[in-house]
Amino acid sequence: MTTHAAQTAQTVTLPVSLDEAVAALAAMPAAVPVAGGTDLMTAVNSGLLRPAGLVGLGRISEIRGWQYQDGHALLGAGLTHARMGRPDFAALIPALAAAARAAGPPQIRNAGTLGGNIVTAAPTGDALPVLAALEATLIIAGPGGARREIPVSHLLAGMEMLRPSEIVGFVRVPLLHAPQTFLKATGRTGPGRATASAAVVLDPARREVRCAVGAVAPMPLRPLEAERWVAGLIDWDGDRGLPPEACAAFGEYVAAACIPDPPPEMGSPMPEAGGGAEPAALPPAVLHLRRTVAALARRALGRALA
Ligand SMILES: Cc1cc2nc3c(=O)[nH]c(=O)nc-3n(C[C@H](O)[C@H](O)[C@H](O)COP(=O)(O)OP(=O)(O)OC[C@H]3O[C@@H](n4cnc5c(N)ncnc54)[C@H](O)[C@@H]3O)c2cc1C
């Protein structure tokens, strides 16, 4: 179905299947896909983007739900934050549901989608640290019915890109059947973009703790050494409990890995032995961010283990 948006004289195509959407993009290379439009239309309205046409993804029912496949959930890219925030989804992937519930005010959560959050790849995208910790992959639809699968982290790191006329169809997420958490700091009351966020997932089958920190760098950061260290402390066959000091040490470890000390200046004196844990050279704002990340990681781990 093709209409013309009166205001901008753009061509708007509304396909009903992924392959139709890919074909529409291939036929109109200057067009861009639009899902909820919460990011895209903001860019259009502010004059940053003038797409020659739009391919709306809102009528593609196959990407608006989820299905089970080999111990994984195949999440449609068109799932809205509001849908992912509901209890049935939270029972499946609790950390992603928590991130969805935190993703902006209700009108944004009603329209904004998982696929849009990933493709926009903003540092403050709330789903992104969760997907990084879950080691999720993307199933991308291309011309001629082609499908390819890449790790979400490769797209976020710029190691792989969407090729012309490709569309993100699904996100494959392992079902871990274990606690997982997402926490976000906004620096204000009520909905807001993250100043820092942390996702922690337990993977008992692999005896792993996986953590990703969002909003402090262009893409979510995985503190791999801290993950391995804390996983080694957990009695996986027992109660999986950890003393509060271990959770606190994990928080510090994560924060130091994600917000490292600046390199020492030439000619600066060696730090004194037994000095404080916080290096004096860190500017106050960075120190505050590091403390925020430490608190988020400590609490996220504590809640996952509780
Ligand atoms: C006021 C406000 C507050 C917000 N607060 C938050 C927040 O707290 N946390 C947060 O994470 N985000 C927030 N956002 C950002 C936004 O709502 C999310 O990133 C949302 O998930 C984007 O989804 P969308 O469907 O609206 O994407 P769209 O705007 O439709 O698309 C975004 C980009 O992705 C592309 N795209 C979309 N779907 C696909 C697909 N399936 N395949 C290929 N390309 C695709 C589009 O071409 C476009 O480039 C906020 C936005 C606003 C305006």
Side-chain angles (χ1 to χ4, degrees), residues 32-42 49 57 63 77-78 81 99 102-105 108 111-120 124-127 162 166-169 184 191-194:
V32 294
V34 58
T38 59
D39 280 329
L40 189 108
M41 296 319 290
T42 305
L49 192 68
L57 307 180
I63 62 169
H81 296 294
I108 294 298
T113 63
L114 180 60
N117 205 260
I118 295 167
V119 176
T120 295
T124 54
D126 286 323
L162 286 181
E166 280 188 333
I167 288 180
V168 175
K184 162 177 173 179
R193 300 287 190 146

Side-chain angles (χ1 to χ4, degrees), residues 91-167:
L92 209 60
I93 313 167
L96 197 51
R101 288 177 187 148
Q107 64 273 28
I108 294 298
R109 297 201 301 273
N110 284 335
T113 63
L114 180 60
N117 205 260
I118 295 167
V119 176
T120 295
T124 54
D126 286 323
L128 308 184
V130 179
L131 298 175
L134 288 167
E135 298 184 338
T137 57
L138 298 177
I139 295 170
I140 296 170
R147 300 288 182 268
R148 66 186 180 105
E149 188 161 357
I150 63 167
V152 174
S153 56
H154 285 199
L155 188 80
L156 299 179
M159 291 160 65
E160 308 214 38
M161 315 251 278
L162 286 181
R163 298 172 190 152
S165 69
E166 280 188 333
I167 288 180

